[in-house]
Amino acid sequence: MNILIDINHPAQVHYFRNLYKELIIKHKVYVTCKKVPLIEKLLNAYNIPYLTYGEKKYNLLSKAISQIKYNIECYNILKKYNINIALGSSISNVHAAKFTKTISIVTTDSDLSAIPLAARFVYPFADYLMTPDSLAYQKHPKQICYPGYQELAYLHPKRFSPDPTVLDECGLKEGEPFFILRFTAFKAHHDIGMYGLSKEQKWNLINYLKNYGKILITSEKAEPEFSSFNIPIAPEKIHSLIYYASLLICDSQTMTTEAAVLGTPAFRCNTFVNKLTVIEEIEKLYGLAYSYHPIHYNWMIRKIESILNTENYKKLWQEKRSKMLQEKIDVTAFWIWLLENAPNSLEKVRLNKVDFKEFK
């Protein structure tokens, strides 16, 4: 089988890297992406060869114009390599596959209402829409759901073991309190009109938390005023650091979920609050995360203080994590089965005829 995986965001390198490594044992797997430095850095770190479509555009008009070029290049790849299945949250995969025999599977963990452009111009053309089952209510004509989160494709205990050497690299000792702050650029098309922590709130947060432990910052955009807090490790090691962190506080959706599934209390502050069902499930069903609108920043600080004053709270979060893992699957194992047994497997999942216990 010939499979194409398209990477649109650095997090997707993590989503699909284990899938790639297992599939290439028996199949031909091609990876595509745009020229985004962090995406390329991660792909190189994991020794995953890739083809690029050129520079990523951030202006909405330039995105639309460039998309025609990306679609043509993707079509050429589908034809050249006789691709059977194209996977990813990719506009190009979906549009180009319509002119070939390729089956397109588009992935997302966002509510369609939160990504209106994709909901209008991408998902209706996909052969299958694959989502966590918390989004089953959306009822895409060919939606396939699984009991898990995309982050469990690489952070499930069967796929991930924390590396304590990251603590040494950051000048920390195991058990020493420290906090990770993640600041997002809000440059994606679905981020238009959305925002997270203000500069004043970021400094307020730093000044508050420094009384409790060391602060480490990772940011999508250049913010030189925070450079003294930069995390001094390779980006592929960040998940081990999150595992050992006392708390994660951010305005990022993905890193909120990553911390939560690792059992680290996660605080998210942005205007996507109450708009993303997956994180709502993590918060309200499992109690692993908290979300606040920036206008309620002070509420978040009070909750952070409450957690920091709770004895053995990290142990409590690991117990919550264990409960969540009992109900979720090894997502990579499911994806492998799904692709290797397509198209029959795709229809079995769509018709709810799969016992997910075999992927625990």
Side-chain angles (χ1 to χ4, degrees):
M1 184 179 291
N2 299 323
I3 298 166
L4 176 67
I5 299 174
D6 189 55
I7 305 292
N8 277 316
H9 186 279
Q12 293 171 13
V13 178
H14 297 298
Y15 294 169
F16 299 126
R17 58 184 167 85
N18 291 316
L19 177 68
Y20 172 85
K21 293 295 185 183
E22 296 211 23
L23 286 177
I24 59 172
I25 296 170
K26 295 189 287 184
H27 308 281
K28 293 281 189 181
V29 184
Y30 303 90
V31 174
T32 53
C33 68
K34 299 179 185 72
K35 291 186 72 62
V36 176
L38 184 52
I39 290 177
E40 294 184 289
K41 188 171 185 177
L42 287 168
L43 287 170
N44 289 328
Y46 292 115
N47 296 313
I48 299 175
Y50 58 91
L51 306 167
T52 68
Y53 291 131
E55 299 293 331
K56 184 172 184 176
K57 307 298 182 182
Y58 293 99
N59 173 274
L60 196 59
L61 178 60
S62 61
K63 277 176 177 284
I65 295 171
S66 297
Q67 192 57 54
I68 298 171
K69 169 180 171 287
Y70 301 151
N71 287 356
I72 293 170
E73 290 187 29
C74 183
Y75 171 82
N76 290 335
I77 289 170
L78 297 183
K79 295 295 287 184
K80 179 178 179 179
Y81 298 109
N82 193 25
I83 301 296
N84 303 108
I85 296 176
L87 175 70
S89 62
S90 170
I91 301 174
S92 303
N93 281 1
V94 170
H95 289 176
K98 280 296 176 187
F99 300 94
T100 71
K101 295 180 180 179
T102 304
I103 297 171
S104 64
I105 305 173
V106 67
T107 61
T108 187
D109 61 356
S110 296
D111 300 65
L112 301 190
S113 59
I115 42 177
L117 291 178
R120 182 173 180 182
F121 297 111
V122 184
Y123 302 145
F125 303 98
D127 292 313
Y128 292 92
L129 171 65
M130 182 164 64
T131 73
D133 61 2
S134 54
L135 293 171
Y137 76 90
Q138 295 184 132
K139 300 189 183 301
H140 182 280
K142 284 202 170 183
Q143 185 173 2
I144 55 178
C145 302
Y146 57 90
Y149 307 124
Q150 292 182 142
E151 290 75 11
L152 285 175
Y154 56 101
L155 296 178
H156 190 281
K158 290 184 178 179
R159 306 286 167 181
F160 173 80
S161 296
D163 178 5
T165 63
V166 298
L167 297 174
D168 291 334
E169 292 184 54
C170 294
L172 294 160
K173 295 185 175 66
E174 192 162 351
E176 181 180 349
F178 71 95
F179 308 97
I180 296 177
L181 309 187
R182 167 64 169 179
F183 303 143
T184 305
F186 291 91
K187 284 186 176 180
H189 70 82
H190 52 262
D191 291 332
I192 295 172
M194 309 303 281
Y195 60 92
L197 292 159
S198 69
K199 194 65 66 78
E200 180 183 358
Q201 288 170 336
K202 292 174 183 178
W203 274 117
N204 181 279
L205 190 57
I206 290 168
N207 289 328
Y208 172 75
L209 289 173
K210 69 182 182 182
N211 298 311
Y212 292 91
K214 186 170 182 176
I215 295 166
L216 296 170
I217 294 177
T218 170
S219 180
E220 273 191 333
K221 57 185 178 181
E223 296 184 291
E225 61 268 47
F226 301 130
S227 60
S228 62
F229 302 102
N230 285 352
I231 295 177
I233 59 171
E236 65 270 19
K237 297 181 179 182
I238 189 66
H239 303 111
S240 289
L241 197 64
I242 293 172
Y243 177 87
Y244 290 110
S246 302
L247 298 175
L248 168 83
I249 305 99
C250 68
D251 47 23
S252 161
Q253 330 305 341
T254 299
M255 202 166 278
T256 297
T257 307
E258 289 175 334
V261 302
L262 287 171
T264 295
F267 287 82
R268 176 179 62 121
C269 188
N270 65 27
T271 51
F272 280 103
V273 171
N274 299 322
K275 296 178 180 179
L276 298 172
T277 300
V278 168
I279 298 181
E280 290 284 301
E281 178 181 276
I282 288 169
E283 178 178 353
K284 293 180 169 59
L285 185 59
Y286 299 112
L288 287 162
Y290 300 97
S291 298
Y292 296 88
H293 192 285
I295 63 173
H296 297 141
Y297 169 82
N298 289 336
W299 297 3
M300 181 178 76
I301 292 296
R302 289 181 64 177
K303 188 62 180 180
I304 290 172
E305 184 176 19
S306 172
I307 297 299
L308 291 175
N309 290 324
T310 300
E311 189 174 352
N312 295 323
Y313 66 87
K314 282 281 284 188
K315 181 175 183 292
L316 173 62
W317 251 255
Q318 286 298 322
E319 291 170 356
K320 293 179 181 182
R321 179 197 186 211
S322 294
K323 180 183 177 183
M324 177 271 297
L325 289 171
Q326 288 172 10
E327 299 176 5
K328 302 302 180 183
I329 62 169
D330 173 358
V331 172
T332 291
F334 166 65
W335 286 349
I336 292 167
W337 170 83
L338 185 75
L339 297 182
E340 289 192 329
N341 295 279
N344 292 340
S345 55
L346 292 161
E347 284 301 301
K348 283 183 70 175
V349 180
R350 186 178 71 85
L351 297 171
N352 297 314
K353 293 182 177 180
V354 174
D355 182 0
F356 284 99
K357 290 179 182 177
E358 62 182 292
F359 306 114
K360 291 285 189 179

